[in-house]
């Protein structure tokens, strides 16, 4: 008996992937406009201000846009892929937040991260990790059992 892939509404990992993907797509696309305001370097330690709180350079806007694309692909795809990408990107964002806290105010801050960026990346990263680790267990167990 084949088990049907859970819908976006029935799968917390798929729903979160699409939600965070939308958020990062907005941040990323807008970031390109604000990062280019003063001609900031792609990997520069200074960036434009998005909504007067997020510091954004082209590298960070590009990273957010690439992550958004990954979220859209797996969120519209399947639960197991969404769970894996949520875990991976969660780790990436938590590492980025730690990197930002450690190197903020130095020339090593190649993503022009400020405290708001770091808190945003940490919160989203932790939510992604917790969802990737804890949600959809029954859905994934049923999918794997039907494929065996």
């Amino acid at each position: 008996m084949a088990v049907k892939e859970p819908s976006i509404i029935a799968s917390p990992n798929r729903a979160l992937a699409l939600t965070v993907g939308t958020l990062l797509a907005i941040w990323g696309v807008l970031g390109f406009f604000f990062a280019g305001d003063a001609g900031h370097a792609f990997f520069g330690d200074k960036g434009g201000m998005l909504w007067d709180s997020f510091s954004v350079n082209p590298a960070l806007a590009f990273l957010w846009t690439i992550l958004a694309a990954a979220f859209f692909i797996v969120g519209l795809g399947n639960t197991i892929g969404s769970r894996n990408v949520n875990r991976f990107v969660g780790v990436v964002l938590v590492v980025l937040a730690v990197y930002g806290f450690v190197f903020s105010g130095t020339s090593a801050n190649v993503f022009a991260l400020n405290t708001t960026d770091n808190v945003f990346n940490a919160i989203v990263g932790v939510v992604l990790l917790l969802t990737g680790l804890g949600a959809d267990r029954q859905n994934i167990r049923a999918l794997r059992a039907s494929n065996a």
Side-chain angles (χ1 to χ4, degrees):
M1 175 173 96
V3 174
K4 184 179 170 192
E5 179 71 37
S7 69
I8 294 168
I9 296 170
S11 170
N13 276 293
R14 289 181 70 194
L16 183 63
L18 290 173
T19 302
V20 173
T22 302
L23 183 66
L24 290 179
I26 292 168
W27 258 248
V29 170
L30 288 177
F32 282 115
F33 292 108
F34 289 95
D37 281 348
H40 299 289
F42 191 83
F43 283 112
D45 58 349
K46 302 277 189 269
M49 295 303 287
L50 177 62
W51 293 310
D52 290 328
S53 56
F54 294 92
S55 178
V56 182
N57 68 3
L60 184 59
F62 181 72
L63 177 65
W64 281 341
T65 306
I66 292 299
L67 294 177
F71 278 129
F72 287 139
I73 290 168
V74 298
L76 294 171
N78 61 46
T79 303
I80 294 173
S82 295
R83 182 191 66 168
N84 292 337
V85 169
N86 286 349
R87 288 177 179 177
F88 176 75
V89 174
V91 169
V92 168
L93 291 178
V94 168
V95 167
L96 188 62
V98 171
Y99 175 87
F101 281 121
V102 170
F103 293 108
S104 182
T106 69
S107 61
N109 186 8
V110 296
F111 291 106
L113 298 166
N114 65 8
T115 303
T116 306
D117 294 317
N118 298 332
V119 170
F120 170 77
N121 288 328
I123 290 171
V124 173
V126 167
V127 169
L128 286 166
L129 274 171
L130 291 176
T131 304
L133 292 171
D136 278 325
R137 288 185 180 187
Q138 289 179 331
N139 289 335
I140 291 171
R141 194 174 306 122
L143 288 167
R144 286 188 175 151
S146 72
N147 290 335

